[in-house]
Amino acid sequence: MQAVIKKKAIELLESGTVNRVLGWKAGEFFYDLTPAVFTTPEQIEKDFVYSVFSGANMSKYLIDESKKEGKVAAFIKPCDGYSFVQLQKEHRIVRENIYAVGLACDGMCDMREIREAGIKGVTSVEEDGETLKIGTIYGEKTMAKKDALLERCVHCKSKKVVDCDEMIGENGEENRDCGRFDEVEKLEAMSPDERFAFWRSQLSRCIRCNACREVCPACSCVKCVFDNPNSGIAQKAAASDFEENNFHIIRAFHVAGRCTDCGECSRVCPEHIPLHLLNRKFIKDMNELYGFYQAGADFESKPPVMNYTTGDAEPSIVYARGGDK
Amino acid sequence: MKKISKAKIDELFKAISAKETLYIPVDDSEGQAAFIPYAEGLKMSEDLNTVRSAKDLFFPQVESLVNFKMDGKHIEIIDAATEKKPFVIFGVRACDARSFDILDRVFYYAEPKDSFYIERRDKSTVVTLACNAPEETCFCGAFGIDPAEPAGDVSAWQDGESFFFKANTEKGEALLAGLPLEDAADDAADKVKEDIRKITAMLPLKDLDLSKFGPGKTQELFNDPAWATLSESCLGCGTCTFVCPTCQCFDIRDFDGGKEIRRYRCWDSCMYSDFTQMSAGQPRPTQKERFRQRFMHKLVYYPDMHEGLFSCVGCGRCLRKCPIHMNIVKVIKTIGEEK
Ligand code: SF4
Ligand code: SF4
Ligand code: SF4
Ligand code: SF4
Ligand code: SF4
């Protein structure tokens, strides 16, 4: 796959279709790829990497990149593609300035899963069919690829790249039975007190580094309310644990209906807080109350929270579903 | 040297915590290690290091400084400083132990002195633990730190059966004196140290070359074209600064509760758009300048002010936690290359 992608990237540059390419750049180790802009075939030959560690969703970079001079090539995995379309719908990116190459994808890996399986001092990872061959300073290890997948890939909601100029590999289909709401259901089955305790305990570990917000393609405000001293709710750090919880809940509300469930927030959280569960709860509720809705799945539909129909749920639903509190 | 069998480690923890609060690294619900107060039943984490560094115990992320209570035109000023209790922190790694020296130079020795920090430092006893299994992201060696010989008031080592302890300071001796420990030969931990050094010799970043950095390099490195490319994809999130054991910047904010105002300080990050913002504007207008600040501070400005001491200890946290995998090692290898 990598060879085909690199060839395509070079071809696009050499033919003048684009003047730069957004991609993943090799790092110190095999896993620490950094999003980067490539401008010459030599750079691509040398440093462009596409591997099971190319998880980073590049769509948000297109907000700035698509406003620069000339066209930029972007490689878009199915999950990134939903963000790509959603950002177009929000008029955040200039589509004409992008040459989008869709990528068929069978899942990206997470170093955290590998480390948590007790594999330490990792210096190389090779894909060998369904198995990962892992070199470490403590000897060679193996692990099934399916056990090293990113959470969002375990529950991959779609193999379909919604919008691209061409595909590498075969475009796939949505999968509504991907089980991504299973964990949410477990939370729903808890008593309100248990659920409260669950979230308090999870969110209490937050260091308020803002990685979740900065990486989020839906959080594309030029200035976040939490950074704006004039908003009255600016928080560089929360003054109390209540404020901390507040930040996450408000953020979930702000992205409701626009969050494509790309999974980036949970991927980057240094404290491993399952932020996706918060967003998925919103998505699940919207699906149940207003009919299935996937942000970024098309160019026409309106998010349920921005749209009124006479069939909408009444506000009293809050009491009916709000538990016994 | 003293020792205790591993089977009895709980007895040791109980003995310490009977007198003072004892912090040990424990895995949380998601398997991430953090220093928390020991309580019976807690197990020490097997992880090499904690996600947040040990500096939190001296320089917490948020701390109240003073409160103001308003009653009409009357303002009451309430000192928010609370008395700090003595505590022991167990299992600090050599890198984090060095970070205390770096922070001390800023908060303990330099004027104005930071009374909150000083009180915590004075009332703490640091027990370090040698690293039996360094990770690929560890590069403490580049800064002359030996993970087999960690500093602290007490240094500790472990092998399959026992923990070994050596006191380095009076505080450390006082701590060990009151504990249920057996005597051990002075060279009891030598085998462990030897094994550790065999591993550190294999670490991929062991030869990291810092010669391009250090005091007096500002002019040379400040306008390096690579700052623009390195910072290009930086999200400006601040994760690297918040997990870093040596980052020391804070902001002072007011929390207005209507009748009462709480003035607190909280960690700040030079990666943020409002870092050191003044009425005249932001001195570092784009991410390039902010990004440069972080690495120039660690590798040039701090050494400039502190006899060449770098303010990175090679703990590797930023290598593991940056969402886009940009980090100080990539900076060290890239900046200054073009000459
Ligand atoms: S990424 Fe994690 S630790 Fe950072 S602000 Fe978000 S939830 Fe908190
Ligand atoms: S270097 Fe990485 S961790 Fe630091 S601010 Fe930039 S993106 Fe965040
Ligand atoms: S800059 Fe990175 S490696 Fe250096 S001390 Fe800070 S977190 Fe550790
Ligand atoms: S200036 Fe930046 S790198 Fe230096 S201590 Fe402050 S936050 Fe850390
Ligand atoms: S950087 Fe060195 S001292 Fe720190 S955890 Fe790694 S091996 Fe131990």
Side-chain angles (χ1 to χ4, degrees):
Chain A
M1 188 88 170
Q2 166 168 295
V4 185
I5 295 175
K6 280 170 97 158
K7 195 166 150 243
K8 173 55 66 188
I10 292 173
E11 197 181 294
L12 289 170
L13 268 182
E14 283 178 341
S15 67
T17 313
V18 301
N19 64 8
R20 57 206 197 287
V21 174
L22 185 59
W24 301 264
K25 187 175 171 188
E28 268 317 298
F29 309 110
F30 58 92
Y31 61 80
D32 56 340
L33 309 181
T34 298
V37 177
F38 299 82
T39 51
T40 66
E42 295 72 42
Q43 288 172 353
I44 292 173
E45 277 300 347
K46 187 164 159 273
D47 284 334
F48 191 110
V49 178
Y50 185 79
S51 73
V52 289
F53 295 101
S54 300
N57 177 352
M58 305 285 216
S59 307
K60 195 174 186 182
Y61 288 110
L62 292 172
I63 297 177
D64 285 341
E65 280 306 319
S66 71
K67 286 170 194 143
K68 295 181 182 165
E69 202 48 47
K71 248 185 168 175
V72 59
F75 293 93
I76 306 223
K77 302 187 292 293
C79 50
D80 309 348
Y82 287 87
S83 314
F84 180 48
V85 171
Q86 184 61 29
L87 282 165
Q88 290 180 52
K89 275 171 92 171
E90 293 170 14
H91 306 288
R92 305 292 278 131
I93 55 185
V94 186
R95 180 65 176 91
E96 301 79 75
N97 290 342
I98 300 163
Y99 189 87
V101 183
L103 301 177
C105 173
D106 56 6
M108 290 287 150
C109 291
D110 190 355
M111 267 312 287
R112 191 152 56 192
E113 295 296 336
I114 294 177
R115 287 177 177 140
E116 264 164 31
I119 301 177
K120 310 277 173 177
V122 180
T123 51
S124 68
V125 173
E126 241 179 84
E127 248 186 298
D128 184 10
E130 294 304 297
T131 313
L132 298 178
K133 279 209 216 140
I134 306 173
T136 82
I137 41 183
Y138 303 103
E140 200 166 286
K141 313 267 153 100
T142 56
M143 184 172 178
K145 183 181 167 193
K146 69 172 188 4
D147 296 331
L149 288 179
L150 281 166
E151 194 285 337
R152 72 167 186 255
C153 304
V154 174
H155 301 289
C156 180
K157 64 181 181 291
S158 172
K159 298 283 182 206
K160 177 173 162 194
V161 178
V162 180
D163 173 40
C164 64
D165 298 303
E166 67 174 290
M167 271 304 288
I168 294 183
E170 190 123 346
N171 209 349
E173 288 304 321
E174 252 185 38
N175 174 16
R176 292 195 188 176
D177 297 320
C178 57
R180 66 182 167 134
F181 297 118
D182 294 359
E183 285 295 313
V184 179
E185 273 163 22
K186 283 188 202 152
L187 286 177
E188 287 173 342
M190 287 179 178
S191 74
D193 285 337
E194 284 168 347
R195 199 157 51 231
F196 187 68
F198 171 84
W199 281 114
R200 289 291 271 203
S201 141
Q202 288 290 357
L203 298 177
S204 69
R205 297 185 295 112
C206 172
I207 55 174
R208 199 44 193 285
C209 64
N210 292 317
C212 48
R213 180 189 72 186
E214 296 307 325
V215 82
C216 171
C219 274
S220 63
C221 296
V222 175
K223 197 169 197 70
C224 171
V225 283
F226 290 101
D227 283 351
N228 182 354
N230 300 324
S231 71
I233 54 158
Q235 288 177 15
K236 181 157 271 171
S240 67
D241 56 354
F242 171 76
E243 274 202 340
E244 193 57 79
N245 299 185
N246 196 35
F247 165 72
H248 292 290
I249 295 165
I250 300 281
R251 205 180 79 79
F253 269 106
H254 281 191
V255 300
R258 302 185 302 117
C259 164
T260 64
D261 201 4
C262 76
E264 285 288 270
C265 47
S266 291
R267 178 181 70 85
V268 303
C269 176
E271 286 287 353
H272 208 348
I273 298 172
L275 293 159
H276 60 278
L277 293 179
L278 209 51
N279 298 319
R280 279 188 194 161
K281 168 66 180 160
F282 279 66
I283 295 171
K284 182 168 179 288
D285 278 356
M286 283 186 284
N287 285 353
E288 285 167 6
L289 294 174
Y290 305 101
F292 179 86
Y293 182 79
Q294 169 62 50
D298 59 60
F299 289 93
E300 301 79 34
S301 63
K302 282 189 176 162
V305 284
M306 287 186 197
N307 196 17
Y308 172 75
T309 71
T310 49
D312 281 357
E314 295 299 327
S316 57
I317 194 83
V318 175
Y319 299 101
R321 292 169 54 115
D324 53 9
K325 282 250 155 120
Chain B
M1 199 169 271
K2 301 273 180 190
K3 72 168 186 180
I4 190 166
S5 110
K6 280 195 156 170
K8 290 189 184 159
I9 188 70
D10 269 317
E11 275 175 42
L12 182 74
F13 289 162
K14 265 186 240 165
I16 301 175
S17 60
K19 290 186 226 154
E20 302 172 35
T21 308
L22 165 67
Y23 291 89
I24 63 166
V26 175
D27 287 344
D28 64 24
S29 58
E30 302 293 321
Q32 310 247 111
F35 283 105
I36 64 165
Y38 173 77
E40 239 185 289
L42 284 182
K43 248 189 81 223
M44 198 163 87
S45 169
E46 309 253 310
D47 282 0
L48 179 65
N49 220 340
T50 49
V51 175
R52 303 169 69 147
S53 84
K55 86 172 173 196
D56 293 35
L57 292 171
F58 304 110
F59 174 40
Q61 182 163 20
V62 180
E63 170 162 46
S64 287
L65 302 175
V66 60
N67 296 334
F68 307 97
K69 218 177 208 156
M70 261 88 70
D71 186 10
K73 287 200 167 167
H74 178 74
I75 301 180
E76 192 188 339
I77 300 175
I78 306 158
D79 186 359
T82 47
E83 208 217 321
K84 298 170 181 71
K85 302 243 163 55
F87 65 93
V88 175
I89 165 168
F90 187 99
V92 174
R93 300 299 186 178
C95 49
D96 282 9
R98 165 72 67 82
S99 80
F100 304 156
D101 295 345
I102 291 165
L103 298 175
D104 281 354
R105 284 166 179 258
V106 176
F107 294 133
Y108 201 105
Y109 298 110
E111 296 292 344
K113 296 196 187 311
D114 188 315
S115 57
F116 289 73
Y117 179 87
I118 291 176
E119 195 181 348
R120 290 199 181 91
R121 284 290 278 145
D122 286 343
K123 291 191 170 166
S124 67
T125 310
V126 174
V127 182
T128 56
L129 183 59
C131 305
N132 287 24
E135 295 269 11
E136 78 280 2
T137 45
C138 293
F139 58 108
C140 51
F143 301 100
I145 300 166
D146 181 359
E149 210 57 81
D153 296 306
V154 174
S155 310
W157 294 266
Q158 57 177 322
D159 63 13
E161 280 95 53
S162 312
F163 280 98
F164 303 95
F165 301 93
K166 187 178 90 179
N168 306 317
T169 64
E170 271 172 33
K171 257 201 260 177
E173 277 173 20
L175 176 73
L176 292 190
L179 297 176
L181 298 169
E182 296 164 40
D183 285 326
D186 278 348
D187 61 358
D190 283 6
K191 172 82 175 66
V192 180
K193 293 184 199 174
E194 201 183 299
D195 288 347
I196 293 176
R197 291 191 183 120
K198 271 186 210 149
I199 297 162
T200 49
M202 296 192 300
L203 292 179
L205 299 176
K206 67 172 189 316
D207 296 323
L208 193 65
D209 175 15
L210 288 157
S211 60
K212 287 176 287 181
F213 301 89
K217 300 284 186 181
T218 305
Q219 294 301 334
E220 212 171 298
L221 303 176
F222 195 77
N223 288 318
D224 196 294
W227 291 117
T229 39
L230 285 168
S231 63
E232 201 165 30
S233 48
C234 171
L235 302 168
C237 65
T239 304
C240 50
T241 40
F242 287 1
V243 297
C244 178
T246 71
C247 268
Q248 54 211 239
C249 289
F250 60 83
D251 195 1
I252 294 181
R253 296 259 165 154
D254 287 346
F255 179 70
D256 187 351
K259 281 205 161 5
E260 200 170 316
I261 290 177
R262 183 177 162 202
R263 178 158 298 170
Y264 64 100
R265 72 163 164 200
C266 58
W267 292 349
D268 203 347
S269 167
C270 51
M271 291 295 198
Y272 287 165
S273 60
D274 62 350
F275 181 74
T276 67
Q277 181 153 28
M278 297 171 276
S279 50
Q282 161 61 281
R284 300 179 193 85
T286 71
Q287 201 56 32
K288 182 185 112 183
E289 292 87 19
R290 297 168 202 147
F291 181 94
R292 175 173 63 198
Q293 166 64 21
R294 175 166 155 78
F295 301 102
M296 287 294 277
H297 184 220
K298 300 240 176 276
L299 301 170
V300 180
Y301 308 151
Y302 187 98
D304 255 333
M305 294 189 288
H306 299 279
E307 293 108 38
L309 183 69
F310 289 109
S311 63
C312 168
V313 295
C315 71
R317 285 186 176 85
C318 58
L319 276 67
R320 299 165 87 87
K321 294 298 183 183
C322 169
I324 56 138
H325 292 297
M326 183 40 70
N327 55 57
I328 195 158
V329 168
K330 289 185 181 177
V331 168
I332 290 169
K333 291 203 171 175
T334 313
I335 290 293
E337 271 304 281
E338 280 191 18
K339 277 167 223 134

